[in-house]
Amino acid sequence: MDHTIDLFSVIDRLKQLVVEIGKLQKESLGRANLAFDVKSTAIDIVTEIDKKSEEKIIAFVKEYYPSHAILAEESGRSEAQSDYLWIIDPLDGTTNYAQGLPIFSISISLEYRGQTILGMVYAPVLDELYYAVRGQGAFLNNRPIHVSNKTQLLDSVLATGFPYDVAEHPANNINYFTRLLPKTRAIRRFGSAAYDLASVACGRFDGYWELNLSPWDAAAGILLVEEAGGSVISFREDRKVSIIAGNNTIVGQVYDEIK
Ligand code: IPD
Ligand code: CA
Ligand code: CA
């Protein structure tokens, strides 16, 4: 059976939620006494604002969709058994955030029986609200968006990122970066995977690749790219979520360079 939820009413509620949380995030951006903890490695941090933001998103899901399951970066998976799963990154780009850099985002998606049906990425400082509904297209501030139509890597600007175990793990993306850099117009490392994918969806980046992402970094952004007419492929199985995104042609060319 198909899902029975009205996704556009979910989008309307989510818009209010992310704008409210974005306000809270902006208020503390650049604050000198921001509390933080270290997580998986010495360079993987979480701030008090990541945690506060996640609490608010979880409270939202519990209020409006109490039977749904939740997978959230800072608190893990809820015990609920449900066909619906909310996947939440309350603050994607924590390293930027802790430095007072304005590029970070909130990423929220909803799965039904393992398939993403809705994704939202909000960049508070830029006030850019991206969302996609499966089969209904992708939007930036309510206007339809589309991936770029570049056909050559040498004309393309790509984005990427590096995993928190970059110092410990041999598959740390440095080799792919070295291979691709001379083949492209430029490569950017913005520091928020969700925002990178949103930027591919609206054609500002022609392509993106990254390895060892988690579902909360990528789920909403992947739907944005697909609904914006692009494609997303997985390029290795051993490093969690490892993906290439862009239009079909550029995805193929990036894959040929790093396979
Ligand atoms: C990180 C960002 C970064 C990417 C890392 C992610 P976080 O998420 O998306 O761009 O390179 O792999 O873990 O920790 O800021 O939520
Ligand atoms: Ca993240
Ligand atoms: Ca995060």
Side-chain angles (χ1 to χ4, degrees), residues 50 73-74 89 91-92 94:
D50 296 71
E73 178 173 15
E74 312 306 341
D89 190 335
L91 205 170
D92 185 55
T94 297

Side-chain angles (χ1 to χ4, degrees), residues 23 35 51 88 139 162 209 228:
K23 195 164 165 265
K51 292 179 190 169
I88 298 163
F139 303 84
F162 297 89
W209 87 96

Side-chain angles (χ1 to χ4, degrees), residues 39 44-45 50 73-74 89 91-96 160-164 189-194 196 208 210-214 216-217:
K39 298 202 286 180
D44 181 7
I45 60 170
D50 296 71
E73 178 173 15
E74 312 306 341
D89 190 335
L91 205 170
D92 185 55
T94 297
T95 307
N96 285 351
T160 190
F162 297 89
Y164 287 123
R189 199 289 195 237
F190 270 8
S192 166
D196 291 336
Y208 163 78
E210 188 159 350
L211 50 74
N212 206 44
L213 294 167
S214 295
W216 46 80
D217 301 311

